[in-house]
Amino acid sequence: MPSVGHHAILCDNLVKIYKVADLEVVALQGLDLVVEPGELIAVVGASGSGKSTLQNILGGVDTPTAGRVEVAGFDLTSLDEHRRTHYRRRIVGFVWQQTARNLLPYLTAAENVELPMTLDGVGRAERARRTEELLALVGLADRSGHRPDALSGGEQQRVAVATALANGPSVLLADEPTGELDTHSSNELFETLRVVNRETCVTIVVLTHDPLVSEQVQRTILIRDGRSAAETLRRLATGPEGEEQLVAEELAVLDRTGRLQLPPDYVAALSLERRVRLGLEHDHISIWPQERREGDGDR
Ligand code: ADP
Ligand code: MG
């Protein structure tokens, strides 16, 4: 296992089980995730796939049941209260889906951005300077005196991004940040996130149920049933006529024990069920539906 120093985020075989009365809900079941410093990635999964659970664990709000999780050199499974507070104030920034959870309604945009710095003991002049800089970064320099109810939903989320960046975190986590936005505002928010990512080098993880978001980032991790199932990588390639084109590459995720989740449409296309036949070729592996033989008594 590579050392923490090299990764912004490392989740290794992460498990989260919620106990509700005498029921157990497995929200994460062996999730692996590595994010490099300065990456902007999306984690995409259907409702109930474990995204918010992951956000809470990465944010130091909740602890995993088992597995390893390290963010910016902090081992989140063994933080004492003091280090946990430091971690939540300085190392990680949050944007929540509910716009109301991100901003205080009776404070202006500038006052919202300043608040985390005030709580952290940053001096007045430095606060003012940073607030101006951050609101400019998210393209809202001219809205600094507006309260949230005088801003559009998209503008509120961009103020939320500036607020989350106030104390210069290493990692920014955004749970469904576009959940309440229309397509136009959603595209604008992603443009803001790309600018922020480029200008400040903060590592950004966007968690969302919206698969189209993968068009907005270079790398998308698909989680299914609390586990990383596939990745989409987007990169510029040179086409046949020498022109630059964006290509998307789909990759399945292989876990440490060799488990692989096949895309549901592949499984359906060949009616794969229960068991498959594997063939090892010199440079690839083939998978066939199991042939039914006479005397197969297992169905
Ligand atoms: P997502 O954000 O992808 O919709 P969640 O992380 O919220 O998924 O939920 C994953 C699973 O864990 C779901 O089955 C959900 O019902 C369950 N779950 C989430 N939070 C709790 C909780 N506090 N107590 C019990 N079950 C929970
Ligand atoms: Mg959620």
Side-chain angles (χ1 to χ4, degrees), residues 26-41:
V26 184
L28 297 178
Q29 44 183 328
L31 181 115
D32 297 323
L33 175 69
V34 174
V35 184
E36 304 305 338
E39 268 197 288
L40 162 58
I41 69 150

Side-chain angles (χ1 to χ4, degrees), residues 45-114:
S47 171
S49 59
K51 302 180 298 292
S52 295
T53 300
L54 180 62
Q55 157 119 344
N56 286 335
I57 292 173
L58 293 177
V61 177
D62 204 352
T63 48
T65 310
R68 244 174 97 194
V69 52
E70 286 157 1
V71 179
F74 285 72
D75 178 348
L76 301 187
T77 55
S78 64
L79 286 182
D80 58 31
E81 259 336 286
H82 177 73
R83 298 252 301 161
R84 187 172 296 278
T85 304
H86 172 75
Y87 177 78
R88 289 212 292 243
R89 280 208 186 147
R90 304 295 292 273
I91 309 300
V92 72
F94 297 96
V95 176
W96 305 101
Q97 173 177 354
Q98 308 85 342
T99 46
R101 191 168 168 190
N102 292 316
L103 303 175
L104 289 173
Y106 49 87
L107 296 183
T108 64
E111 288 164 347
N112 268 288
V113 176
E114 262 194 79

